[in-house]
Amino acid sequence: RRGLPAPSKDFHLDSLYELIKMKEIISMLLGFLPWIVFAVISGQSLWRLNAAIIVALALVLVMGYKQLAKGFILTWGSLLFFGVNLVMVVLFRNLWVIKNLDVLAHGTLAAIAWSSIFIGKPFVLQYARETVPPERQASPFFYRTCRTLAVIWGVVFLIATGMSAAKTYGWWAGGIGYQAVSLGLIGLGLWLNHWYPQYVRSRAKLC
């Protein structure tokens, strides 16, 4: 009896590529996890805001210690943001910071993304190097793809900052709808982070 045809080499490469991309997305999701938890826990009351800052800071230290040791820009930016707000909000209860904390949070993420681009080290690059084989990193598309992804994230965070300012200063009612859109923007960024490299790869095959 004739057996099934052996899977092609391209099939194995495509399967490996999908596995690599999934690991990269999971790694980046862990980088954003403190921010996601902060957005979910923080609310209108001061005790919830304090709890959100403390839990987020703990997540950065516990789940991101390896990334901190490797100098990951996003993780260090997260540590700085939540560390400063542990002092300004939890300890000193600075009213200006409390009022503008949502704007400051998204603004910090935007600053992390754009500053990493301007210094020539897009933060996405650090996650990609953890999972992409060295031979793929030598491709001229590798850095350009990571830079484009960092720009996409930067735009997403700028939109989120504008939304936060609209909510903070009464141009948007906020509530569950606002929180859903904010988390949805992160979800959109993660999806684009998965889709865009595949798009670049398919375009490269056609050339």
Side-chain angles (χ1 to χ4, degrees):
R1 189 179 67 178
R2 297 182 62 184
L4 294 173
S8 67
K9 182 180 179 182
D10 287 342
F11 174 82
H12 287 301
L13 288 175
D14 288 343
S15 298
L16 177 60
Y17 180 79
E18 288 300 320
L19 179 60
I20 288 170
K21 290 307 300 175
M22 187 57 64
K23 288 182 177 179
E24 182 182 334
I25 289 174
I26 291 173
S27 178
M28 187 169 291
L29 181 60
L30 290 177
F32 284 123
L33 186 60
W35 297 91
I36 296 172
V37 171
F38 172 75
V40 171
I41 296 178
S42 62
Q44 299 298 320
S45 62
L46 183 59
W47 76 266
R48 286 189 61 177
L49 187 59
N50 289 343
I53 292 170
I54 293 170
V55 172
L57 180 59
L59 285 173
V60 173
L61 294 172
V62 173
M63 301 188 68
Y65 69 95
K66 289 184 179 179
Q67 295 179 351
L68 289 171
K70 295 176 181 178
F72 275 45
I73 297 172
L74 175 61
T75 311
W76 273 102
S78 303
L79 179 65
L80 181 62
F81 176 81
F82 293 114
V84 167
N85 282 292
L86 180 68
V87 176
M88 298 301 293
V89 176
V90 178
L91 298 181
F92 292 146
R93 299 185 180 181
N94 185 288
L95 294 180
W96 185 89
V97 174
I98 291 172
K99 177 183 177 181
N100 293 278
L101 193 55
D102 200 37
V103 181
L104 293 172
H106 289 113
T108 297
L109 286 170
I112 290 171
W114 288 107
S115 62
S116 73
I117 294 167
F118 292 143
I119 66 174
K121 296 180 180 179
F123 77 97
V124 177
L125 187 67
Q126 296 176 304
Y127 295 94
R129 282 176 173 164
E130 291 283 294
T131 54
V132 176
E135 61 272 16
R136 284 190 180 273
Q137 296 183 29
S139 167
F141 294 105
F142 178 70
Y143 177 82
R144 278 182 282 174
T145 300
C146 291
R147 187 178 187 278
T148 301
L149 287 171
V151 170
I152 290 172
W153 278 112
V155 172
V156 166
F157 294 140
L158 284 177
I159 294 172
T161 303
M163 288 170 45
S164 299
K167 186 197 71 155
T168 300
Y169 295 102
W171 305 325
W172 188 348
I176 296 177
Y178 167 81
Q179 191 176 63
V181 174
S182 297
L183 294 176
L185 283 172
I186 293 181
L188 175 63
L190 289 170
W191 179 80
L192 289 171
N193 206 86
H194 175 72
W195 170 81
Y196 182 74
Q198 291 181 319
Y199 169 75
V200 172
R201 185 166 170 263
S202 64
R203 293 279 295 180
K205 284 184 176 180
L206 294 175
C207 296

